[in-house]
Amino acid sequence: MVTTSTTKGTEQENSPNKSLENSLNRQMIAILDFGSQYSELIARRIRETQVYSEVLSYRTTAEQIRQLNPKGIIFSGGPNSVYDSHAPQCDPEIWHLGIPILGVCYGMQIMVQQLGGQVETAERGEYGKASLYIDDPTDLLTNVEDGSTMWMSHGDSCVELPEGFEKLAHTDNTSCAAIANHEKKLFGVQFHPEVVHSQGGIALIRNFVYHICNCEPTWTTEAFVEESIREIRAKVGDKRVLLALSGGVDSSTLAFLLHKAIGDKLTCMFIDQGFMRKGEPERLVEIFDKQFHIPVEYVLARDRFLARIEGIIDPEEKRRRIGHEFIQVFEEESQRLGPFDYLAQGTLYPDVIESADSNVDPKTGERVAVKIKSHHNVGGLPEKLRFKLVEPLRKLFKDEVRKVARSINLPEEIVNRHPFPGPGLAIRIIGEVTSERLKILRKADYIVREEIKNNGVYNDFWQAFAVLLPIRSVGVMGDKRTYAHPIVLRLIKSEDGMTADWARVPYDLLETISNRIVNEVKGVNRVVYDITSKPPGTIEWE
């Protein structure tokens, strides 16, 4: 049953931790991060082989690694030169653990330098694509085609190999593009096998994971779900858990997992701030309450949020006020519904890697929530609202969350839902947000989504939405002069949202969307298309 409440206005840990103690993680590859932009990508590529991987700081000691007992270690690339005075170095005892190691770019140079070889500035740097010529096609380079294109990004080269090492491959500009000490199972590559531009990169990674490290493919969606349910039950016991639900894939997947694990000990709270897309609040309640029988505490707070940002033009101030109001509503409703011992958050693995903010209760040693790190991105919770955290998704990347969502039978409309900002349509209205402008944008946005779904291309885009500009332009409709708002269409493609490119949409689809918006949305007489990539632009306009 849905309960409706109407409110009235007046690092995380980037180190070895307990998440590695369950049985799933015994088959794992540890990645020591030396500052590479590709460290997360290495982890994702390892997981694509169905073997668990985790990114750790390069400062992780040999003893910490020994306790984790990984099947293999990968040293990432990095922006430094090994001979820089402040270049990051690893614990030299790691070389004596007897664990297979693969050094990538800077990671290979660290290996060469610390084991007695020599690294120097190259006469010619190597950036971008290069052909790899294989001298030894065994072990690491099995099934990697001679002459394959690999992605290079280095200004230093290894000019003298340590004792016991031999060359496996070269390029036109790099004599030691891949090296190995077969006896000690130490390998290095000067290129980046993890990027899509490296043709034989995945084969190389699979060779390291399966044949050199002898891993088995135990990191599966089904195993993750089973293990997560056991962990949730063991941690929560008979205590109550509160989850702020948004309708996105992260919080929805989390809600389903928690409900499977603890049933009615879970309370889902959905705060309707009035900035959602057309039909989304109603559909969310219908799916969870009617279809899957997961109760949702529906908090109607539209008037309150709109009043809070009345007259506000600055985008950062809009975000700040919406965030602050969310905290206020969350505090009031959690006290009304509580008490709760745990707060469930949809923290994902990139959040864990990127965040250096770890909050630990000094008495219990458990992480506690002093801020919501979720879809709302709203900043700090009041100190008096201190919950212990439940974060079952904190090991997963976004694509892995979608796989879990499918495995537990979430509807495809949730699984494939485009990312939607916490402040919602309020930051897709440039300048002041009014009820009339929300009405205009909500209709226009619905037409965009409806047409790309009708044309079967919804999943072709990372995001596809409309933006309302706070200006008016002259138009002619029915032989009459109009003076109305323009709508900006923003359809983009991306893999992770960090970079993005505008989508080359067929003209007939753009024409259909434009005609419908102008004809069906009162207050709009012009539609334009944003052809700006990220960078230099951002995906959202505010």
Side-chain angles (χ1 to χ4, degrees), residues 240-244 266-267 269 330 334 337 340 342-344 387:
R240 297 183 68 202
V241 179
L242 176 63
L243 167 64
L266 169 68
T267 297
M269 181 199 300
F330 185 89
S334 62
L337 299 168
F340 297 97
Y342 289 92
L343 174 67
F387 304 94

Side-chain angles (χ1 to χ4, degrees), residues 401-419:
V401 174
R402 296 189 193 279
K403 292 177 182 177
V404 170
R406 286 193 176 93
S407 76
I408 56 179
N409 298 317
L410 260 71
E412 282 297 312
E413 64 185 279
I414 292 180
V415 175
N416 292 319
R417 181 180 187 259
H418 289 173

Side-chain angles (χ1 to χ4, degrees), residues 173-391:
N173 295 327
T174 302
S175 61
C176 296
I179 62 173
N181 182 321
H182 293 286
E183 181 181 353
K184 295 183 178 180
K185 292 190 176 183
L186 303 178
F187 299 85
V189 293
Q190 192 58 76
F191 50 89
H192 288 273
E194 68 274 18
V195 303
V196 295
H197 309 290
S198 293
Q199 292 176 342
I202 297 301
L204 185 152
I205 289 172
R206 291 177 68 88
N207 289 336
F208 181 72
V209 170
Y210 288 138
H211 305 310
I212 294 170
C213 298
N214 295 316
C215 290
E216 297 179 1
T218 59
W219 179 248
T220 65
T221 300
E222 294 75 15
F224 172 81
V225 171
E226 293 175 5
E227 187 72 21
S228 295
I229 290 173
R230 286 197 296 270
E231 287 185 345
I232 292 167
R233 288 172 177 166
K235 182 172 186 175
V236 172
D238 60 354
K239 306 298 184 182
R240 297 183 68 202
V241 179
L242 176 63
L243 167 64
L245 188 64
S246 74
V249 65
D250 300 340
S251 68
S252 298
T253 302
L254 180 56
F256 271 63
L257 265 181
L258 288 166
H259 192 258
K260 280 179 174 287
I262 60 175
D264 60 7
K265 298 183 187 69
L266 169 68
T267 297
C268 293
M269 181 199 300
F270 172 66
I271 299 175
D272 184 353
Q273 84 295 53
F275 307 136
M276 299 291 285
R277 293 174 288 200
K278 181 180 177 180
E280 285 194 326
E282 297 82 3
R283 181 60 178 154
L284 174 69
V285 171
E286 179 185 354
I287 289 174
F288 277 81
D289 186 65
K290 303 292 194 301
Q291 187 173 344
F292 293 101
H293 309 294
I294 299 177
V296 177
E297 294 286 344
Y298 177 77
V299 181
L300 182 59
R302 297 178 184 180
D303 292 342
R304 176 170 173 169
F305 275 86
L306 190 58
R308 191 74 176 86
I309 60 172
E310 182 179 1
I312 301 302
I313 295 175
D314 181 75
E316 291 306 311
E317 181 64 13
K318 273 198 287 188
R319 286 178 177 271
R320 190 191 69 80
R321 289 191 177 214
I322 292 170
H324 178 78
E325 197 63 26
F326 182 87
I327 292 169
Q328 292 297 112
V329 175
F330 185 89
E331 178 180 6
E332 294 166 13
E333 295 299 317
S334 62
Q335 290 177 346
R336 177 180 69 85
L337 299 168
F340 297 97
D341 297 276
Y342 289 92
L343 174 67
Q345 292 194 147
T347 306
L348 302 188
Y349 193 48
D351 301 324
V352 177
I353 297 173
E354 294 167 7
S355 175
D357 182 15
S358 179
N359 302 292
V360 180
D361 188 312
K363 295 181 179 179
T364 66
E366 291 211 51
R367 291 187 62 245
V368 296
V370 294
K371 68 178 179 180
I372 293 182
K373 188 173 178 61
S374 68
H375 50 277
H376 288 285
N377 191 26
V378 297
L381 281 174
E383 287 289 341
K384 59 185 176 183
L385 283 178
R386 293 179 67 86
F387 304 94
K388 297 174 184 176
L389 288 182
V390 180
E391 299 174 299

Side-chain angles (χ1 to χ4, degrees), residues 65-234:
I65 292 176
R66 182 181 289 110
Q67 292 176 9
L68 293 177
N69 193 30
K71 299 283 285 185
I73 304 169
I74 294 180
F75 284 17
S76 81
N80 298 92
S81 294
V82 293
Y83 43 76
D84 287 347
S85 58
H86 300 292
Q89 301 284 329
C90 71
D91 181 348
E93 291 301 313
I94 291 175
W95 307 114
H96 306 298
L97 290 174
I99 300 172
I101 298 175
L102 171 63
V104 174
C105 199
Y106 181 86
M108 168 176 158
Q109 294 165 10
I110 284 288
M111 178 182 293
V112 169
Q113 184 197 56
Q114 288 198 354
L115 295 178
Q118 189 172 349
V119 179
E120 294 180 356
T121 302
E123 291 185 9
R124 293 177 60 186
E126 209 168 20
Y127 302 94
K129 297 177 180 178
S131 295
L132 184 74
Y133 302 108
I134 298 175
D135 303 300
D136 181 351
T138 62
D139 280 353
L140 191 67
L141 300 181
T142 301
N143 297 323
V144 177
E145 186 176 345
D146 188 37
S148 295
T149 296
M150 295 295 180
W151 190 259
M152 295 283 189
S153 182
H154 67 101
D156 297 337
S157 290
C158 302
V159 297
E160 182 178 335
L161 296 181
E163 183 178 353
F165 279 77
E166 60 185 77
K167 182 174 68 172
L168 300 182
H170 66 278
T171 69
D172 289 335
N173 295 327
T174 302
S175 61
C176 296
I179 62 173
N181 182 321
H182 293 286
E183 181 181 353
K184 295 183 178 180
K185 292 190 176 183
L186 303 178
F187 299 85
V189 293
Q190 192 58 76
F191 50 89
H192 288 273
E194 68 274 18
V195 303
V196 295
H197 309 290
S198 293
Q199 292 176 342
I202 297 301
L204 185 152
I205 289 172
R206 291 177 68 88
N207 289 336
F208 181 72
V209 170
Y210 288 138
H211 305 310
I212 294 170
C213 298
N214 295 316
C215 290
E216 297 179 1
T218 59
W219 179 248
T220 65
T221 300
E222 294 75 15
F224 172 81
V225 171
E226 293 175 5
E227 187 72 21
S228 295
I229 290 173
R230 286 197 296 270
E231 287 185 345
I232 292 167
R233 288 172 177 166

